[in-house]
Amino acid sequence: MADLLNKSQQLGTEKYPRKSEKWIQYGTAGFRTKAEELTHVLYRMGILAAFRSMQKNAIIGVMITASHNDEPDNGVKLVDPHGEMLEASWEVIATKLANAKNEDLESTMSQILEENGITIGTNAMVYVGRDTRPSSPFLAQAAIDGIKSVQGCVTDFGVVSTPQLHFFVTCQNTNKAYGEPNEEGYFSKISSAFKALRGSNYDNGSYQHSLSLDGANGVGALKMKAFQEYLGNCIEVTIYNSGDGKLNYQCGADHVKVLQKPPQNMPLEVGTRAASLDGDADRLVYFYLDTQGNFKLLDGDKIATLVAGYIKKLIKESGVNLNVGLVQTAYANGSSTEYINNTLGVEVACVPTGVKYLHHRALEFDVGVYFEANGHGTVVFSSAAMETIKNAAADESLPAERNAAAKQLFLLMDVINQTVGDAISDLLLVETVLHAFGWGVAEWDAAYTDLPNRQMKVSVADRNVIQTADAERRCTDPPGLQSEIDSIVAKFNKGRSFVRPSGTEDVVRVYAEADSQANADKLAHEVALKVYELANGVGNVPSLPK
Ligand code: G16
């Protein structure tokens, strides 16, 4: 073993050395920074994924992507055996390995193996996928070399969306019970269920089976194109920003959500239903122009409420006894939470940012719907719930209406990629619900009106000086910042604001909502100025959003 680890350290030092002392941390969704600073991290994450695979005796995934970030950033997300994000205790181990000095690599590896009871040589299998960034192939190679250096086996899926990789990992680790671990398996499973739910009437009421899609110039555009072969003509998707332009530049789900405006290069007519994916196709937001030509956003909150309402309806109609819960973060618009509590009558939970937190909380319900406002989310069904739905769908002795609703629920589970938020599967889920309700985009939007809101970014010397509590709704450090925020918020009708350090970008994020857009902007700006003042702001002083 010592020899093997020594050779692994040698390769790491020669080919993928850690070139600076800069500390890097496993953040909201893995490691994320400038691609050129990541080569040693990727080599080491290959090693770590192989170790984790040995420990769990299961496939582990390594996804090379920086998702919504602009180039030249890149990153890596590790996928655990059930398709979920890497377990929190291993994030600490990952950070330790990524920051080990070159000469300490071997001893750090030994320590990880020993502390986690891992015997090297046990079969290790790692699935590797990457997004379309120019830096991704090289970084993928670094990960592959890392995996092989400790005798792990690799399946390289090439360019795939993040949720596809999660799907493949889950399929293989469930002995294919969840599906076939390849692209054909993914497309077939989702499209068959989608088509069966849609039937032969592609339009219904105000619902029309065509939409415009902003592919963020990323992998989602490529995969949606390929998916169209399977979907046939039951849905017409016109793709813009399909890969010729720069990834996420002036387009993509984050751009649309944060700036509250349409992506570039997409003609938008009044009433046309449009959607945006992000760079690795795990986030989705919808938008349209209303009859006055105003831009209207339907974000993760709107998707969550639409989907939860539909699932609740089907559960009621099928007569199965299952509870539905909805999980959000502090970014959820106040109006959405009010709507969930007062109109939908669904239990709602709030957790810190990061799908890893939402996913785990959602698993506590029979049916857990989770979405971040940024459009990242999915629905998870407990094993017992899946069994109950399956039995009800197969029970022809049930009254026809109940049996039909159970059958719809059963199919709906296959449209949903339960392993992680998946923009393409979520898009088909939304389209299914709108089709079933016979709704156009305006009817969907009418459920509730968002409180005007604004997000800002503040650059500070060290974003980690910001510490939060209560699912990031309160700031505990630096001292005095929260009481300043409270006094600012108190001046605004329906005001709410919070700050938190981003886990994917080197900034502090500020969120604010209030009774008008001008007030939301003003509130965000005043809070951003306080952050700049009390948390050691650097660069330009935050200016009032335009
Ligand atoms: C990742 C996470 C999301 C999170 C987002 C922003 O998304 O998976 O859960 O909301 O980062 O995180 P932060 O505010 O900490 O920067 P993605 O799509 O970029 O992978």
Side-chain angles (χ1 to χ4, degrees):
M1 177 182 100
D3 194 35
L4 186 79
L5 296 188
N6 186 267
K7 279 194 183 141
S8 174
Q9 166 168 311
Q10 245 176 44
L11 179 65
T13 315
E14 282 160 19
K15 205 168 166 193
Y16 306 110
R18 181 172 177 237
K19 291 181 194 144
S20 89
E21 294 287 295
K22 194 171 160 192
W23 181 263
I24 184 160
Q25 192 168 347
Y26 201 99
T28 312
F31 294 101
R32 212 173 274 192
T33 187
K34 304 257 170 303
E36 63 194 33
E37 293 172 17
L38 276 170
T39 47
H40 72 284
V41 176
L42 264 294
Y43 178 75
R44 294 166 185 210
M45 286 311 105
I47 295 171
L48 193 83
F51 286 177
R52 181 78 172 150
S53 175
M54 290 169 197
Q55 187 203 37
K56 290 288 181 184
N57 194 19
I59 314 271
I60 296 295
V62 174
M63 181 70 200
I64 291 105
T65 180
S67 194
H68 76 274
N69 296 47
D70 289 331
E71 291 177 58
D73 282 4
N74 212 326
V76 55
K77 306 182 186 183
L78 296 193
V79 182
D80 251 0
H82 298 293
E84 72 279 41
M85 303 283 189
L86 181 68
E87 186 184 297
S89 63
W90 271 66
E91 291 185 359
V92 180
I93 301 172
T95 301
K96 184 171 160 184
L97 188 62
N99 291 292
K101 290 195 165 85
N102 292 318
E103 61 274 24
D104 293 342
L105 192 53
E106 182 183 345
S107 59
T108 310
M109 285 192 271
S110 289
Q111 201 188 356
I112 293 171
L113 291 171
E114 202 186 310
E115 285 175 2
N116 293 281
I118 299 165
T119 315
I120 202 148
T122 324
N123 281 345
M125 170 57 95
V126 182
Y127 282 4
V128 176
R130 60 183 152 89
D131 71 11
T132 53
R133 286 166 206 260
S135 56
S136 291
F138 179 71
L139 292 176
Q141 192 54 51
I144 290 169
D145 284 351
I147 298 161
K148 288 186 175 164
S149 77
V150 290
Q151 291 184 334
C153 300
V154 181
T155 301
D156 181 4
F157 284 92
V159 174
V160 286
S161 73
T162 297
Q164 281 184 314
L165 190 76
H166 284 252
F167 179 91
F168 303 155
V169 167
T170 308
C171 290
Q172 192 57 41
N173 284 331
T174 56
N175 286 325
K176 306 189 182 174
Y178 195 67
E180 287 294 319
N182 51 49
E183 207 156 85
E184 158 79 22
Y186 170 88
F187 288 144
S188 310
K189 178 179 176 178
I190 298 176
S191 62
S192 315
F194 177 76
K195 288 200 270 196
L197 278 165
R198 180 145 294 215
S200 51
N201 292 328
Y202 302 157
D203 294 334
N204 181 29
S206 307
Y207 177 83
Q208 296 201 331
H209 70 290
S210 61
L211 78 153
S212 298
L213 181 67
D214 158 30
N217 287 317
V219 57
L222 300 179
K223 299 305 169 188
M224 195 64 213
K225 261 187 229 161
F227 210 166
Q228 282 173 320
E229 302 276 314
Y230 291 78
L231 292 166
N233 53 6
C234 67
I235 183 157
E236 284 170 23
V237 185
T238 310
I239 309 174
Y240 300 91
N241 298 315
S242 60
D244 302 337
K246 223 168 143 189
L247 180 74
N248 292 333
Y249 179 71
Q250 305 278 331
C251 60
D254 200 59
H255 169 90
V256 173
K257 165 74 182 156
V258 174
L259 300 180
Q260 302 181 30
K261 61 181 196 191
Q264 71 174 9
N265 303 328
M266 181 191 256
L268 201 55
E269 280 169 25
V270 168
T272 299
R273 195 166 66 255
S276 262
L277 313 177
D278 73 339
D280 64 340
D282 59 8
R283 294 199 212 169
L284 172 75
V285 295
Y286 272 78
F287 50 93
Y288 71 107
L289 295 183
D290 70 9
T291 46
Q292 269 87 52
N294 299 315
F295 174 79
K296 296 298 221 58
L297 176 72
L298 294 121
D299 62 4
D301 300 339
K302 287 267 176 173
I303 296 174
T305 47
L306 177 80
V307 169
Y310 182 60
I311 290 178
K312 207 176 162 215
K313 175 178 173 284
L314 288 183
I315 285 179
K316 191 168 170 221
E317 285 172 6
S318 62
V320 291
N321 183 18
L322 298 173
N323 69 38
V324 183
L326 207 156
V327 189
Q328 303 186 308
T329 70
Y331 288 105
N333 195 277
S335 297
S336 76
T337 315
E338 206 176 293
Y339 174 79
I340 298 161
N341 282 323
N342 302 343
T343 310
L344 275 187
V346 165
E347 185 182 338
V348 54
C350 182
V351 299
T353 301
V355 280
K356 56 194 178 193
Y357 300 114
L358 288 101
H359 190 92
H360 284 117
R361 182 66 181 87
L363 289 172
E364 291 175 25
F365 298 105
D366 295 334
V367 183
V369 180
Y370 73 83
F371 271 89
E372 295 185 297
N374 63 23
H376 205 165
T378 188
V379 185
V380 286
F381 297 79
S382 70
S383 317
M386 288 199 271
E387 200 55 30
T388 303
I389 293 167
K390 187 175 162 198
N391 292 339
D395 187 353
E396 300 288 346
S397 70
L398 283 179
E401 233 178 59
R402 283 180 58 186
N403 180 249
K407 281 189 169 130
Q408 276 170 302
L409 260 181
F410 185 62
L411 285 169
L412 200 69
M413 290 195 294
D414 276 357
V415 172
I416 297 165
N417 181 352
Q418 293 189 47
T419 66
V420 79
D422 180 336
I424 291 181
S425 137
D426 287 341
L427 179 132
L428 296 178
L429 173 62
V430 167
E431 294 297 315
T432 298
V433 181
L434 293 177
H435 176 263
F437 283 153
W439 282 357
V441 69
E443 280 137 309
W444 170 20
D445 196 21
Y448 63 86
T449 306
D450 273 327
L451 277 172
N453 56 88
R454 176 63 62 197
Q455 285 189 49
M456 289 182 72
K457 297 179 192 182
V458 183
S459 294
V460 298
D462 174 10
R463 65 190 145 135
N464 291 316
V465 299
I466 304 275
Q467 297 286 318
T468 63
D470 187 19
E472 303 180 320
R473 289 174 288 197
R474 313 252 341 139
C475 174
T476 50
D477 253 312
L481 180 55
Q482 185 59 51
S483 56
E484 293 285 358
I485 295 174
D486 290 341
S487 331
I488 299 170
V489 166
K491 297 190 292 185
F492 292 85
N493 188 21
K494 298 206 168 169
R496 183 170 75 90
S497 180
F498 66 89
V499 303
R500 53 174 287 277
S502 162
T504 61
E505 295 173 57
D506 193 9
V507 293
V508 174
R509 297 200 195 279
V510 173
Y511 176 86
E513 61 187 35
D515 59 352
S516 70
Q517 190 59 55
N519 281 342
D521 291 352
K522 204 158 170 260
L523 173 54
H525 181 228
E526 286 190 29
V527 172
L529 287 174
K530 265 301 155 209
V531 171
Y532 190 89
E533 183 191 321
L534 297 180
N536 233 339
V538 295
N540 293 339
V541 177
S543 53
L544 188 68
K546 286 187 198 115

